[in-house]
Amino acid sequence: MPAKRSPARRPTMKDIAQRAGVSESAVSFALNDRPGVSEITRDRVRRVAEQLGWRPSTAARQLSGEGAATVGLVLARPADTLGVDSFFLQLISGIQEVLAERHLGLLFQVVEDVDDECAVYRRWWAEHRVDGVLVVDPRTDDARPDLLDELGLPAVVIGGAPDARHPGLSTVWADDAGAMAAVVDELSALGHRRIVHIAGLPGLAHTERRIRTLRAEADRRGLAEVRSVTTDYSDAEGAAVTRRVLAGGVLGGAVQGGAVQGGGAVEGGVAEGGSRPTALIYDNDVMAVAGVAAATELGFSVPGDVSVVAWEDSALCRMVKPWLSALSRDTVEFGRIAAKELTSLLDGGPARAVRVPVPRLISRESTGPCGA
């Protein structure tokens, strides 16, 4: 049997003191940016620490009250939908860029629901695991802001509109209402009067904003056959709902009376026997690609029979035929901004509400004049 290797020995303050020719207390003053040593000594100690690869101990930082050097992100969504969601991959990429610059770690956890997410926050706070959190998927009835206020845990809410009830929380948000209005403007100009919005998870604040805006824009234009259907963001549900609205004309089942329900329910639904939609708006790129495939299988032409718009632009939108019209935004920058707002809170800065640019509609081959 090969001999068991001993773990590599981490450099200590004593090692730095010996190499730099100073006392251990001088090393502590220099590395913790405290008075008591000259600038020349401070610079020499820091150079030696860098040469030896020394890093502060997270456990020691916690004991001294200096923090965990880690921020948290909890996602309460079905785990099997994450691998195909380009939005979150890009968002985390932008977050990680900023955290890496500050030598901060990201503690990521997926849970079943918001109650489990709140339990994670309580545990992290009690164990001093994180210095702050990034909160995603704001809900219309959301218990998390109150809890974070109660715990005093610095937090940035990503995607939620500013909320005066929680002045201690920062918010980074996009104008979903403006983006949806732009899509309806484009489709209406092309002659579309029957539109189905294949939305994401019910109860999410941005899902509700998009549904409300679509309904308001439809009412303003006198479009009676405009509907929203909630899904779980997956390609499977995107394809299934597409087949139902195209093959059956409308979604079967009871009218929902304006309430947003899960499981493919209709917002402002209609009874069976209505007209087939001529345009479909999908809340992400994955569902839009699956929808095009489903429409093609049923013998429908895109955009000849039905136009398609994806909410999130990505490489997927340019890997199918026809190329998909899509709402485009810099999601990586969205993540960077959110992480910068959190590090600002950790540095003692004030909470702020930051609005990112409205997603821009890029018209491609999947939208055209209404032929029905």
Side-chain angles (χ1 to χ4, degrees):
M1 293 289 291
K4 185 177 179 180
R5 293 179 57 185
S6 299
R9 179 177 172 275
R10 296 182 179 89
T12 65
M13 286 192 178
K14 183 176 181 180
D15 299 325
I16 298 171
Q18 290 176 346
R19 176 77 67 88
V22 298
S23 67
E24 288 185 51
S25 59
V27 171
S28 178
F29 292 152
L31 295 179
N32 289 296
D33 204 23
R34 293 172 180 161
V37 293
S38 68
E39 286 304 313
I40 293 175
T41 299
R42 194 184 307 276
D43 289 342
R44 182 166 75 250
V45 167
R46 287 175 175 171
R47 283 198 304 271
V48 170
E50 186 67 29
Q51 292 166 4
L52 293 176
W54 177 87
R55 292 293 183 271
S57 163
T58 300
R61 287 171 59 90
Q62 291 173 337
L63 289 171
S64 65
E66 295 179 15
T70 303
V71 302
L73 172 61
V74 184
L75 190 59
R77 277 198 187 187
D80 57 1
T81 65
L82 299 183
V84 293
D85 195 330
S86 62
F87 173 82
F88 271 106
L89 296 177
Q90 294 179 59
L91 183 76
I92 292 174
S93 176
I95 290 170
Q96 188 58 41
E97 280 187 28
V98 174
L99 298 184
E101 293 171 359
R102 293 284 297 263
H103 305 293
L104 294 172
L106 177 64
L107 184 56
F108 179 67
Q109 188 163 341
V110 179
V111 296
E112 288 293 323
D113 53 35
V114 171
D115 287 341
D116 288 343
E117 182 176 342
C118 289
V120 170
Y121 292 148
R122 289 186 182 279
R123 185 172 68 251
W124 282 353
W125 172 80
E127 297 174 354
H128 303 280
R129 295 287 297 280
V130 298
D131 298 323
V133 294
L134 295 157
V135 181
V136 296
D137 287 344
R139 265 67 174 179
T140 51
D141 185 14
D142 205 328
R144 294 171 297 175
D146 285 338
L147 172 61
L148 294 169
D149 272 346
E150 174 192 326
L151 298 177
L153 195 58
V156 174
V157 180
I158 301 174
D163 187 348
R165 295 172 300 173
H166 303 97
L169 305 182
S170 285
T171 303
V172 177
W173 65 290
D175 184 5
D176 292 289
M180 178 60 85
V183 173
V184 178
D185 277 342
E186 175 75 7
L187 294 175
S188 179
L190 291 170
H192 294 281
R193 298 294 180 267
R194 301 193 299 274
I195 302 168
V196 170
H197 167 216
I198 300 177
L201 289 166
L204 297 186
H206 65 262
T207 300
E208 304 290 342
R209 285 198 300 268
R210 295 172 191 180
I211 289 173
R212 284 197 304 270
T213 302
L214 176 63
R215 188 167 59 238
E217 292 295 317
D219 290 344
R220 187 167 69 85
R221 292 172 170 80
L223 309 180
E225 296 185 76
V226 175
R227 307 287 178 258
S228 291
V229 190
T230 56
T231 70
D232 66 357
Y233 282 113
S234 70
D235 56 331
E237 284 207 7
V241 172
T242 301
R243 293 188 190 98
R244 287 158 61 191
V245 299
L246 293 181
V250 298
L251 295 177
V255 179
Q256 297 302 324
V260 181
Q261 306 290 337
V266 187
E267 163 68 17
V270 294
E272 208 157 347
S275 302
R276 174 180 59 80
T278 63
L280 302 173
I281 305 169
Y282 294 85
D283 261 8
N284 69 11
D285 52 347
V286 173
M287 290 198 298
V289 170
V292 169
T296 302
E297 289 171 5
L298 292 173
F300 292 101
S301 167
V302 178
D305 297 314
V306 60
S307 287
V308 168
V309 177
W311 197 274
E312 297 291 343
D313 191 22
S314 72
L316 274 180
C317 296
R318 302 182 297 280
M319 294 174 67
V320 295
K321 275 297 188 180
W323 282 17
L324 299 184
S325 298
L327 284 160
S328 177
R329 59 178 163 189
D330 190 343
T331 307
V332 174
E333 180 62 16
F334 201 176
R336 291 192 197 102
I337 292 171
K340 287 177 181 176
E341 288 304 310
L342 183 55
T343 57
S344 174
L345 289 177
L346 298 182
D347 290 338
R352 304 195 310 160
V354 179
R355 177 175 165 178
V356 300
V358 178
R360 178 173 57 93
L361 179 61
I362 299 177
S363 297
R364 298 193 180 105
E365 301 166 346
S366 68
T367 49
C370 178

